Amino acid sequence: MTIAPVQRSTSIGSSAWTDARLILALEEVVEKELDRHLKVAKEWMPHEFVPWSRGRDFPGVLGGAAWEPGDSKVTPLGRVALVVNLLTEDNLPSYHHEIATMFGREGAWGTWVHRWTAEEGRHGIAIRDYLLTTRAVDPDELERARMSHMSEGFASDNAHSMLQSVAYVAFQELATRISHRNTGHYAGCPLADQLLAKIANDENLHMVFYRNLLKAALEIAPDQAMRAIADVVTDFRMPGHGIPGFERAAAQIALGGVYNLRIHLDDVLQPVLRHLKVMEIGGLGPEGLRAQEELGAFLDGLDAQATKFDERQAARLARIAARKQ
Ligand SMILES: [Fe+2]
Ligand SMILES: [Fe+2]
């Protein structure tokens, strides 16, 4: 990677690396990572995971049968999580807007933005087709939730900073991967599990792309990248936070073990931080060091919170088990 040797020695300061210079400096990495991504990403057919023969007409012009909860054997937790995952995927036009605005639509960055959008597009298509053919959720409610959620749009918390944007998507893609994968495990339907495993695999490759980009950013602008990582980790929210009834759904998803604090820390934050050796990076300037310390303190606090959550959860499960005896 060739980086113009300007301002490299300044320890920090927003003047050290502007977003425009970082985008230019990282273009070669994007090119390399895009190439790697295209080599490892295997084509797959979303329609092959949809049981079309199980589909039935709905009321309205076709005069079909109204949806009933008993139409599907998907678990209650699986239904809640599938809807949250789908509505999150549905807001793709807003996500595309955010990353196209930040990364641009030219050169390797642009090729990535469009390729990523095309891959993300199949996630919403496949999950919706699956839910409608299997009648796993109320289709009218789902459509109203989609309209409401997409009408709100999505505005990134990190649009002011290129490094924060990269750091956020590195964690967020992994969060999405874990959320899809665990939803599959708890859905009570082998086909949903297979479909979500496929989607999770896409999300994993997206995470690898952004994580490797973040690694390069840590090399060329270590103090600023460390600050960006600390800010993103300490203020992380899932992209679907604007979904109607999100808080309630998120609580069910947490209790059910699809996504909670412990999973967020152990399966999302730590793997990326460890891979990038974020807590071991030396030679930082004062601002980078401060960010690294803040991050360390935050992770300790999160671990304590997650332990409390785990204990409450274990006690709750023990009460449920005792009631059943
Ligand atoms: Fe996705
Ligand atoms: Fe993704």
Side-chain angles (χ1 to χ4, degrees), residues 89 120 123 176 180 199 203:
E89 297 282 352
E120 289 293 350
H123 301 167
T176 315
H180 282 306
I199 295 175
E203 310 293 18

Side-chain angles (χ1 to χ4, degrees), residues 44-52 74 82 85-86 89 119 121-134 176-177 179-185 187 189-203:
W44 63 280
M45 297 296 159
H47 51 269
E48 291 176 3
F49 292 82
V50 178
W52 301 101
V74 169
L82 275 158
N85 292 1
L86 173 55
E89 297 282 352
E119 291 185 10
R122 67 185 165 213
H123 301 167
I125 292 170
I127 298 176
R128 175 162 284 99
D129 287 346
Y130 168 84
L131 290 178
L132 294 180
T133 51
T134 62
T176 315
R177 175 205 182 187
S179 170
H180 282 306
R181 200 189 61 185
N182 289 348
T183 299
H185 288 172
C189 167
L191 188 59
D193 195 19
Q194 285 179 68
L195 168 62
L196 292 167
K198 271 298 200 199
I199 295 175
N201 193 45
D202 282 355
E203 310 293 18

Side-chain angles (χ1 to χ4, degrees), residues 14 19 22 47 109 126 131 133 149-150 152 174 190 223 257 271 291 310:
S14 51
D19 281 0
L22 278 165
H47 51 269
W109 279 105
L131 290 178
T133 51
H149 182 48
M150 289 188 73
E152 289 296 311
L174 184 52
D223 293 313
D310 291 344

Side-chain angles (χ1 to χ4, degrees), residues 174-175 177-179 181-183 186 238 253-271 302 306-307 309-310 313:
L174 184 52
R177 175 205 182 187
I178 299 293
S179 170
R181 200 189 61 185
N182 289 348
T183 299
Y186 291 109
M238 291 295 257
I253 285 167
L255 285 174
V258 170
Y259 202 94
N260 55 38
L261 264 190
R262 175 55 63 199
I263 293 169
H264 181 61
L265 178 63
D266 292 358
D267 299 344
V268 175
L269 297 181
Q270 290 292 14
L302 202 61
T307 301
F309 174 87
D310 291 344
Q313 173 79 335

Side-chain angles (χ1 to χ4, degrees), residues 182-230:
N182 289 348
T183 299
H185 288 172
Y186 291 109
C189 167
L191 188 59
D193 195 19
Q194 285 179 68
L195 168 62
L196 292 167
K198 271 298 200 199
I199 295 175
N201 193 45
D202 282 355
E203 310 293 18
N204 192 48
L205 293 181
H206 298 162
M207 177 278 289
V208 171
F209 177 92
Y210 287 123
R211 185 195 64 194
N212 293 353
L213 209 53
L214 189 55
K215 184 173 194 281
L218 273 165
E219 281 161 18
I220 65 170
D223 293 313
Q224 277 174 264
M226 187 63 75
R227 169 46 61 202
I229 293 170

